[in-house]
Amino acid sequence: MHIGIGLPNQVRNVTPSIIPRWALSAETAEFSTLATIGRYAYPGVIDTVALGAAAGATTKINLLSAVLLAPTWPAALLAKEIAGIDGVSGGRLTLGVGVGSRQEEFVTPGLGLAERGRRLESDLELYRKLWSGQGTNPIVPEGTRQVPVLVGGYSARTMPRMVRWGDGYIGGALPPAVTAPAFADAKRAWQEAGRPGNPRLVALAYFALGDTEIGLANIHHFYQHAPDHIAKMVVACTSRSSVQQLIEDYTRIGVDEVVFIPAVADLDEVTRLADAVGSSAQRD
């Protein structure tokens, strides 16, 4: 089991200059991954900016968008940005994508909420072509690699997308008992599709180990427009014991990595989480 940590890019009204310092602190603490949470209609820092800042501030730690709302982007533009960030990082980026569900997130003219699932499938195919340099006018440098892709979501099309275009599945920040069936579905779909090996499985959870009151308020604000049954189930670890219990639960499920997403943009939270994780799991 590997343990990652999120960047505070979507903590409400985050001071953007904390992001590179947070990234370096997380690498020093030997977390496996730095991840972003993706939304546009919120007072935070967009995924690609946060990941680019983290790429420049670090040398070893993996990078992940968890998840980026890909259908809100023009596909070729996102493919080029992701390839650039991956190149700057020396090949440390994984692109986690989801379809999104709220109209206000779709700010690009012509890219609305309708048919977003169909667009995602078309976009994933285009990313692969562009990263391989196909086309009359290649848009990425020679030697650009195929960036690994994780697919998130719970619709009927999620697993077919994952096994066709992706390298694994990323679950939402819900209780392990709720996400376990999706992880089982991902494994089963992978095997039935005849893909070699196993899909990479990543779970998410929020944490607030310092000022828990502010942290929980920030999480509530972030999910204030989500369906009640989702908002009430979002996992927020507020103690060392809850962090360790979550790791144990996901270890039993067979998840490869848990990424803890910060609810407070306080640099001391990196150290607090590292102390809470302790020796109960690998962080490299």
Side-chain angles (χ1 to χ4, degrees):
M1 168 73 76
H2 298 287
I3 305 298
I5 186 171
L7 288 162
N9 69 300
Q10 290 293 356
V11 172
R12 180 171 36 158
N13 295 321
V14 62
T15 300
S17 61
I18 195 176
I19 289 174
R21 292 182 290 139
W22 183 288
L24 182 57
S25 181
E27 181 168 81
T28 301
E30 298 185 335
F31 285 100
S32 58
T33 297
L34 277 164
T36 56
I37 291 291
R39 278 188 63 188
Y40 302 139
Y42 202 75
V45 176
I46 198 168
D47 309 65
T48 51
V49 171
L51 290 166
T58 59
T59 60
K60 298 182 297 182
I61 194 167
N62 295 318
L63 306 172
L64 169 67
S65 59
V67 294
L68 185 151
L69 305 181
T72 65
W73 285 75
L77 175 62
L78 181 57
K80 187 175 179 71
E81 290 217 23
I82 291 301
I85 296 167
D86 185 61
V88 167
S89 75
R92 292 183 281 133
L93 178 63
T94 295
L95 174 63
V97 296
V99 296
S101 61
R102 294 173 54 185
Q103 181 64 53
E104 63 266 30
E105 304 291 347
F106 292 77
V107 298
T108 302
L111 300 179
L113 195 63
E115 298 189 348
R116 64 195 184 280
R118 180 193 58 78
R119 287 204 311 276
L120 177 57
E121 293 172 18
S122 175
D123 291 353
L124 289 168
E125 181 178 13
L126 183 62
Y127 302 160
R128 296 298 187 197
K129 290 179 179 179
L130 295 176
W131 292 336
S132 66
Q134 294 183 37
T136 304
N137 298 304
I139 67 170
V140 299
E142 289 186 8
T144 293
R145 71 170 186 147
Q146 292 291 322
V147 178
V149 172
L150 301 183
V151 177
Y154 295 98
S155 75
R157 291 297 307 161
T158 297
M159 298 311 168
R161 287 185 195 118
M162 186 267 296
V163 297
R164 184 173 184 185
W165 303 111
D167 300 277
Y169 176 75
I170 184 164
L174 301 175
V178 175
T179 57
F183 287 120
D185 287 345
K187 294 178 184 177
R188 182 167 52 253
W190 193 269
Q191 293 168 354
E192 291 175 351
R195 294 284 300 269
N198 297 298
R200 179 182 170 191
L201 304 178
V202 178
L204 305 177
Y206 285 90
F207 78 99
L209 299 175
D211 195 326
T212 59
E213 184 175 346
I214 289 179
L216 292 174
N218 283 340
I219 294 169
H220 176 75
H221 189 271
F222 189 80
Y223 287 96
Q224 63 182 321
H225 298 301
D228 284 345
H229 69 284
I230 296 295
K232 291 178 180 178
M233 286 196 295
V234 171
V235 172
C237 296
T238 58
S239 66
R240 181 188 184 97
S241 60
S242 61
V243 167
Q244 294 180 340
Q245 183 62 58
L246 192 81
I247 293 170
E248 291 176 13
D249 291 343
Y250 275 122
T251 298
R252 284 194 294 270
I253 290 171
V255 166
D256 299 299
E257 183 173 36
V258 177
V259 177
F260 289 91
I261 304 298
V264 179
D266 174 4
L267 273 175
D268 289 338
E269 286 285 82
V270 178
T271 302
R272 293 184 187 111
L273 181 62
D275 290 343
V277 170
S279 61
S280 64
Q282 291 179 248
R283 281 180 278 136
D284 58 6

